[in-house]
Amino acid sequence: MSVKGNEPLTMETFTQGLWKDNPVFVMLLGLCPTLAVTNSAINALAMGLATTFVLICSGFLVSLLRKVIPKQVRIASYIIIIATFVTMADYGIKAISLDLYKALGAFIQLIVVNCIILGRAEAYASKQKPLKAMINGAGMGLGFTIALLSLGVVREILGSGTLFGMHLMPERFQTWSVFVLPPGGFFVLAGWLMLFSWWRERKAQKEVI
Amino acid sequence: MDPQSPTFIFLNAFLINNFVLAMFLGLCPFLGVSGKIKTAGNMGVAVTFVMLVSSICAFGLNILLTRYQLEFLRLISYIAVIASAVQLVEMAVKRFSPSLFRALGIFLPLITTNCAILGLALFQTAREYTFVQSLAFALGAGAGFTLALLLMAGLREKLDLADVPSIAKGAAMSLMIAGLLSLAFMGFAGLGG
């Protein structure tokens, strides 16, 4: 997908990340945090929001400095910019909720090496105006958050019978604890991918008829 | 076994809490480079080597940062050190073994954005490992990564001949296999008590 600098600001700028180029389900980027922190819905939400924050801020700064940064050292500069915002998000979450901070562990700091953010900085923010870069970042972040939530919700309901900590399933429901353990992450993501490809296939068949 | 002994730390990172299958670190190369056994092996060796180098660097850096109370710079300095370490390794490999350099190709520079490397540095700091413990941790993590990559590559080479339903082709199937491997690795949980 090639992006030129002179396209007008459209709805597409925002919605691109939501569905068509959803970072997790379509592009399969940023899988490590996707699988590692989605064993409950609240962790998934926090991780998604932290990533969105970093995406928006780093998009803005990279786009602002796009004419200043020399081409040879651009990747290193992007990583430093991203690391700065991740440190801010890290201290922010620690200040807001210590429990959440402990549950997410090193994965907040590992946002630095999330390929979605570096990918956006390189492919989009470095060529666009600051406002567009921010809006696109927000869309991508929201798409990422939705993907994380759709995994987190399934895993929490099946794995511990709760949703956002509230009991949802009847008393006699036997929890499938494999879903909150590492293998469950792989299985649920595989399930979602199969669902989407089944849906796409059905749509393609309808168009033929 | 003493949980702080280097042997146990090695085993823990290698099998019990395998970096790829239990901690979800380094999934991008795990799914991306696991098509052929040969490339998977080369990638594993390169990652292990960078892990060792960056583990030593991070250990030294942490002492410096703690002395001058600059802990908030930890993340930025770690990632900068890893990026330079990868560059250094790249130059060294190119100088001393051009054949290995050609075999690794693009995978070498891409190791910078492998979250297993940064994760290793962050974990060894958070757990306050000593120098020897850090080395054992880095070796174990690298060996675990290589093992997971090799297993996955072997399975995927066989899978090329299998008849997979069309909706499960590609990423979904790889994730299913990874899930099954992860399930198998949970069996190591009792190891070492």
Side-chain angles (χ1 to χ4, degrees):
Chain A
M1 174 187 55
S2 71
V3 184
K4 291 194 187 73
N6 50 9
E7 285 167 8
L9 178 66
T10 55
M11 213 39 208
E12 174 78 11
T13 317
F14 181 69
T15 54
Q16 184 200 8
L18 284 186
W19 178 248
K20 206 182 93 215
D21 284 322
N22 185 299
V24 176
F25 290 138
V26 180
M27 300 203 284
L28 290 177
L29 289 177
L31 286 183
C32 311
T34 307
L35 295 171
V37 301
T38 51
N39 48 13
S40 77
I42 185 80
N43 287 356
L45 187 65
M47 187 68 193
L49 291 182
T51 310
T52 310
F53 165 78
V54 177
L55 262 171
I56 296 175
C57 295
S58 66
F60 175 71
L61 203 60
V62 164
S63 166
L64 210 61
L65 297 174
R66 68 188 188 279
K67 295 197 175 103
V68 186
I69 297 175
K71 211 171 178 333
Q72 294 83 356
V73 294
R74 64 182 197 288
I75 300 289
S77 328
Y78 298 160
I79 289 186
I80 299 292
I81 290 173
I82 294 167
T84 312
F85 287 114
V86 171
T87 310
M88 280 164 66
D90 188 50
Y91 279 89
I93 292 179
K94 206 176 188 174
I96 295 166
S97 162
L98 204 58
D99 290 336
L100 203 58
Y101 183 77
K102 282 185 187 136
L104 292 175
F107 278 95
I108 308 170
Q109 301 189 356
L110 284 175
I111 297 177
V112 178
V113 279
N114 190 326
C115 8
I116 300 172
I117 300 178
L118 194 63
R120 280 288 98 185
E122 166 75 3
Y124 198 91
S126 61
K127 296 174 188 134
Q128 303 285 351
K129 294 206 174 70
L131 183 69
K132 278 184 73 178
M134 275 170 82
I135 291 175
N136 187 266
M140 276 288 161
L142 204 59
F144 185 62
T145 313
I146 291 171
L148 282 187
L149 265 181
S150 52
L151 257 87
V153 166
V154 172
R155 287 180 71 184
E156 197 183 337
I157 291 178
L158 291 179
S160 20
T162 56
L163 186 60
F164 288 107
M166 285 178 297
H167 281 280
L168 204 72
M169 292 307 216
E171 242 355 76
R172 284 164 53 210
F173 176 70
Q174 188 76 43
T175 54
W176 303 3
S177 47
V178 68
F179 276 100
V180 283
L181 293 171
F186 288 113
F187 290 140
V188 174
L189 183 60
W192 278 111
L193 288 178
M194 276 196 264
L195 192 70
F196 287 135
S197 70
W198 171 76
W199 186 68
R200 260 197 298 271
E201 219 166 65
R202 216 180 56 151
K203 217 172 100 180
Q205 269 174 1
K206 265 189 190 157
E207 272 162 20
V208 170
I209 298 163
Chain B
M1 218 189 296
D2 175 22
Q4 292 301 319
S5 74
T7 330
F8 184 75
I9 289 173
F10 175 82
L11 268 183
N12 190 24
F14 181 38
L15 293 175
I16 305 168
N17 281 314
N18 186 288
F19 257 48
V20 180
L21 296 168
M23 316 238 284
F24 301 114
L25 293 170
L27 280 180
C28 306
F30 177 63
L31 294 174
V33 209
S34 58
K36 290 257 176 340
I37 291 184
K38 203 171 168 326
T39 20
N42 284 334
M43 181 69 183
V45 172
V47 167
T48 312
F49 190 65
V50 177
M51 271 180 172
L52 268 178
V53 174
S54 53
S55 162
I56 295 169
C57 293
F59 186 79
L61 204 61
N62 191 38
I63 294 177
L64 263 181
L65 289 177
T66 323
R67 169 167 295 173
Y68 296 106
Q69 299 182 331
L70 291 170
E71 282 94 344
F72 60 91
L73 284 178
R74 185 176 286 149
L75 190 58
I76 299 181
S77 46
Y78 274 12
I79 190 79
V81 159
I82 290 172
S84 351
V86 171
Q87 201 96 70
L88 204 70
V89 168
E90 198 181 343
M91 284 193 289
V93 171
K94 200 174 182 179
R95 169 78 181 74
F96 293 113
S97 168
S99 57
L100 183 66
F101 181 76
R102 270 196 302 278
L104 290 175
I106 182 73
F107 302 137
L108 210 48
L110 276 183
I111 295 173
T112 313
T113 49
N114 184 333
C115 45
I117 314 267
L118 185 63
L120 177 92
L122 291 173
F123 280 127
Q124 79 174 35
T125 313
R127 295 177 191 171
E128 295 173 351
Y129 280 162
T130 62
F131 186 67
V132 180
Q133 285 173 328
S134 303
L135 278 187
F137 188 49
L139 266 180
F145 181 81
T146 315
L147 179 69
L149 212 60
L150 282 175
L151 284 175
M152 187 72 179
L155 283 169
R156 277 176 74 171
E157 274 189 1
K158 287 270 183 292
L159 200 71
D160 282 345
L161 307 168
D163 185 20
V164 182
S166 64
I167 59 160
K169 272 211 176 93
M173 198 63 216
S174 311
L175 283 167
M176 281 299 227
I177 297 173
L180 290 175
L181 272 180
S182 168
L183 209 55
F185 266 70
M186 278 174 62
F188 289 118
L191 203 70

